[in-house]
Amino acid sequence: MQQQYQAYGQQPPQVSLATGEKFRQKVDTNVFQVSMACLKDQATEIATGDPITCSACSGILNVYSEIKVEGDAQQVWICEFCNTRNVVNIEPEEKPKTDAVSYILEAAPVKSEAEKKEEKTTGGVNKDISIVFCVDVSGSMAGSRLQAVQQTMRNQIKDMYENHPDRKIGIVTFTDDVRIIGDGTAAVTIIDAGKLHDYDFILKHAVVGASTSLSRGIKDTRAKVDQAVNNLRATGSTALGPGMLAAIGLAGEGSPGSQVIVCTDGASNMGLNDPAFYSRVGEYAQGKGVTVHIVTFQGTECNIDMISTVCQMTNGEIERVSLHDLASNFKDFLAKPVLATLVKLKVKLHSGLEFRNEMVQNLSMQNTILSKDFGNVNEDTDVCFEYQMKPLRELLKIKDIDFSKLQQLPFQAQIHYTALDGSKQVRVITNRLDISTDKEDLKKDADFQILGINAIQQSSKLARVGEFKQAQAVAKAWDKVMTRDTAQLSCNQMAEVQNFRSNIGQTYNLMHQQQVMTSQQPQQYGQRAQVSDAVSQNMYQAARINKSKWTKSSK
């Protein structure tokens, strides 16, 4: 958990827009970042059982906690987050010794002897993840588009045959009907037009199909899979929603970490297709540990704004590509394995602090706890947050804490997740930072990569919910702060400023274009303006920018 901290902030700059409307946006170095790459660390201190939690604020006892002995050997922990007195019972060797501790809440399921033997033979808990290609074969895909998809699939199948022979590779197609082909070793299941509105029917047949047509690794099924790819033909309409559901149902019977890649060139015009449906599909995929990626083609419109819900809930990617770039995107999707599933992040602040620029429904405990669901995560999942001191009137209500004497404040990330072996764990990471009121020193020491990533995530997050004016204001405010007094910045900081401007440039222009389009669209009360695929895809990716993408874009 990396942090930039400023104790008392500054007056928010006033940002003027072309329309004359003004937003006040607070921008400073009060930013920290949580990277899920920490879940790769196998050397983390391990503890069994539940962690000791503060009775008042949900902070977890950690390496910085002080335990005092009172009276008749009674152990007392005064919570460093809220100053609450907690009576505890802990042996000296049980107290955390490092700032990162993993608690095993529930052990991995016991494997049968046959499973142990197979795992020993094939190696690893990821031996049988499923990769399902969900392919649009409607009439508009005929010709070069379908040919490009077929060649890309062949390349990926060849790569997995050589490097991941135990992966299960399946295919689902959608047009006027949905066809569950699987690995091509069993009869194709056809879901015709009359059943494309029946959620349970589609899912049931996909789950059953997994046991018959997606039960063996690509080392045994490659010839059949290749044949199925070669036989793809384009005709008819676009039952995208039902096709996606069938593909997720198929992949969901594989190991956690399985993936679905949806490739389409048009909006769904048959069967299930509304926001509530995609939320339901996303919940199912999330529960099964399936990551869903979507690939569309530049120059087409697929209503990414609506279908992106599934990707967001499963931490998948969305790309709009040219035919030339199709292969590299498929490869990128599969390059980073899932580290954990059903990931829920809880970030805990000191009682004198509060989060800002977060959705109210994600906050609790007087805005000192932020909770977010991430579904699946990989080593590139990075999330930034902003915080600030509470208003003076709120600080005065907090008893028994003299803020004038505080020199450090604690921060804590609690990552609840299911590991790929099925065990349920929580990784607790606690840091303390010194309090400072010297803004110039804070900026001098600031990590401009973290600040830049946060700026893009925050502005794009606003744009994704239709707040394009405010999103532009946020981007402008961050640009103003990061480029102020550039002579005082280090070479590395200047490089990160340029990187920020390179990353934010296209995103800001698209925000402006969409704002103009939105202002020209007649809208009914409560109805959201239509958003183009170019804007939706860019805002989705920008809201998920991480250190890897940031570094890649600077090269």
Side-chain angles (χ1 to χ4, degrees):
M1 183 166 60
Q2 300 180 43
Q3 304 159 325
Q4 298 295 316
Y5 180 66
Q6 179 172 319
Y8 300 109
Q10 61 188 46
Q11 289 299 312
Q14 198 172 62
V15 184
S16 299
L17 305 179
T19 60
E21 186 173 1
K22 294 182 178 180
F23 291 94
R24 293 182 66 83
Q25 178 62 37
K26 193 166 187 176
V27 174
D28 52 40
T29 56
N30 290 356
V31 176
F32 64 85
Q33 183 182 75
V34 176
S35 175
M36 295 300 172
C38 68
L39 299 182
K40 289 181 63 180
D41 185 5
Q42 300 299 315
T44 301
E45 182 181 350
I46 302 295
T48 56
D50 294 335
I52 297 175
T53 304
C54 175
S55 60
C57 76
S58 297
I60 291 177
L61 187 139
N62 55 83
V63 67
Y64 303 110
S65 300
E66 294 184 9
I67 299 176
K68 298 180 180 180
V69 178
E70 297 180 355
D72 189 18
Q74 186 179 64
Q75 294 177 314
V76 175
W77 163 42
I78 305 298
C79 176
E80 55 273 26
F81 293 96
C82 69
N83 219 40
T84 296
R85 183 178 183 274
N86 297 274
V87 176
V88 298
N89 183 14
I90 184 172
E91 297 295 329
E93 61 272 14
E94 293 177 330
K95 186 177 183 295
K97 300 173 181 60
T98 61
D99 59 10
V101 182
S102 282
Y103 292 86
I104 311 298
L105 306 181
E106 185 178 314
V110 177
K111 293 182 173 63
S112 67
E113 290 302 318
E115 289 173 323
K116 290 179 181 178
K117 183 177 180 180
E118 182 183 3
E119 185 171 298
K120 184 176 180 180
T121 302
T122 57
V125 295
N126 255 351
K127 61 181 177 57
D128 58 346
I129 67 168
S130 298
I131 306 295
V132 177
F133 296 102
C134 183
V135 185
D136 182 352
V137 291
S138 62
S140 59
M141 285 286 289
S144 59
R145 287 178 185 166
L146 183 57
Q147 290 170 10
V149 172
Q150 287 173 302
Q151 186 57 50
T152 299
M153 290 171 65
R154 293 187 196 100
N155 292 342
Q156 292 305 309
I157 291 166
K158 177 178 182 293
D159 178 76
M160 286 184 278
Y161 176 80
E162 294 173 350
N163 299 303
H164 304 280
D166 293 296
R167 283 186 178 174
K168 301 172 184 178
I169 312 303
I171 300 170
V172 170
T173 64
F174 57 91
T175 173
D176 293 332
D177 56 31
V178 170
R179 302 196 173 211
I180 303 172
I181 300 169
D183 57 21
T185 61
V188 175
T189 299
I190 301 176
I191 300 173
D192 60 30
K195 291 295 186 180
L196 294 181
H197 283 90
D198 192 330
Y199 182 102
D200 294 329
F201 182 89
I202 296 169
L203 186 57
K204 176 183 176 181
H205 281 73
V207 170
V208 171
S211 63
T212 58
S213 63
L214 201 63
S215 61
R216 290 185 285 170
I218 190 64
K219 64 183 179 184
D220 300 319
T221 63
R222 182 181 176 184
K224 290 291 187 179
V225 175
D226 279 338
Q227 183 181 351
V229 173
N230 294 335
N231 289 340
L232 297 182
R233 299 291 182 270
T235 182
S237 300
T238 310
L240 190 158
M244 182 187 294
L245 174 60
I248 292 169
L250 194 64
E253 297 306 294
S255 290
S258 295
Q259 302 189 46
V260 169
I261 300 178
V262 181
C263 190
T264 183
D265 73 341
S268 184
N269 53 25
M270 287 194 71
L272 294 161
N273 184 52
D274 61 66
F277 164 71
Y278 288 109
S279 293
R280 187 180 180 187
V281 171
E283 289 176 2
Y284 182 84
Q286 188 180 82
K288 288 289 187 176
V290 174
T291 303
V292 182
H293 310 287
I294 295 176
V295 182
T296 71
F297 293 95
Q298 293 172 359
T300 67
E301 290 292 318
C302 307
N303 199 0
I304 288 175
D305 193 39
M306 181 163 63
I307 64 179
S308 65
T309 298
V310 183
C311 297
Q312 180 177 345
M313 295 178 71
T314 63
N315 204 26
E317 301 286 350
I318 300 176
E319 295 287 355
R320 296 178 73 247
V321 302
S322 64
L323 294 182
H324 176 73
D325 294 331
L326 184 64
S328 63
N329 285 93
F330 272 57
K331 186 176 180 179
D332 287 346
F333 292 157
L334 303 174
K336 294 285 187 349
V338 169
L339 294 178
T341 67
L342 297 175
V343 178
K344 298 179 184 294
L345 172 65
K346 181 184 287 186
V347 183
K348 174 65 186 168
L349 299 179
H350 185 273
S351 59
L353 302 176
E354 63 182 3
F355 288 97
R356 69 179 181 221
N357 298 330
E358 293 294 339
M359 299 177 69
V360 174
Q361 58 265 38
N362 293 334
L363 299 172
S364 60
M365 291 287 180
Q366 292 79 48
N367 296 337
T368 65
I369 292 180
L370 174 65
S371 301
K372 286 194 173 186
D373 290 350
F374 286 88
N376 307 325
V377 299
N378 59 41
E379 63 184 83
D380 282 348
T381 307
D382 298 328
V383 192
C384 293
F385 306 99
E386 297 182 13
Y387 58 94
Q388 62 191 10
M389 291 295 292
K390 287 182 177 177
L392 181 59
R393 65 180 181 277
E394 296 297 325
L395 295 178
L396 292 175
K397 296 177 183 178
I398 302 174
K399 306 298 183 181
D400 303 324
I401 300 179
D402 187 347
F403 288 94
S404 66
K405 295 181 179 179
L406 284 179
Q407 297 180 335
Q408 293 179 320
L409 291 176
F411 295 75
Q412 189 173 82
Q414 305 169 12
I415 309 171
H416 294 257
Y417 65 98
T418 299
L420 297 183
D421 64 1
S423 64
K424 299 184 186 303
Q425 305 185 29
V426 56
R427 178 73 57 89
V428 180
I429 306 169
T430 311
N431 283 343
R432 292 190 305 185
L433 287 182
D434 295 334
I435 292 176
S436 173
T437 57
D438 191 324
K439 298 173 185 177
E440 294 306 316
D441 277 353
L442 286 165
K443 186 173 181 180
K444 179 180 177 181
D445 297 332
D447 186 329
F448 273 44
Q449 182 188 73
I450 292 179
L451 297 182
I453 289 174
N454 172 72
I456 295 172
Q457 286 186 358
Q458 293 290 354
S459 58
S460 302
K461 185 168 59 177
L462 287 166
R464 289 202 69 220
V465 296
E467 299 291 343
F468 291 100
K469 288 183 180 180
Q470 191 169 349
Q472 289 175 274
V474 170
K476 280 185 175 181
W478 274 106
D479 182 75
K480 181 178 179 180
V481 168
M482 292 177 70
T483 56
R484 184 185 298 148
D485 301 324
T486 54
Q488 306 299 318
L489 301 182
S490 68
C491 293
N492 287 339
Q493 288 176 327
M494 276 302 302
E496 297 298 357
V497 169
Q498 295 304 316
N499 200 6
F500 165 71
R501 287 194 148 183
S502 174
N503 274 285
I504 198 67
Q506 181 186 14
T507 299
Y508 186 89
N509 290 336
L510 285 171
M511 288 177 186
H512 177 69
Q513 293 172 20
Q514 184 62 45
Q515 176 58 35
V516 173
M517 291 173 56
T518 299
S519 65
Q520 297 173 348
Q521 291 179 20
Q523 297 177 50
Q524 297 180 359
Y525 177 77
Q527 184 182 38
R528 182 174 170 177
Q530 183 177 351
V531 181
S532 71
D533 275 6
V535 173
S536 292
Q537 185 270 337
N538 182 279
M539 297 305 148
Y540 180 85
Q541 293 291 46
R544 294 161 42 82
I545 192 168
N546 53 48
K547 293 189 294 291
S548 177
K549 292 177 181 177
W550 177 273
T551 302
K552 184 177 180 180
S553 69
S554 66
K555 294 181 178 179

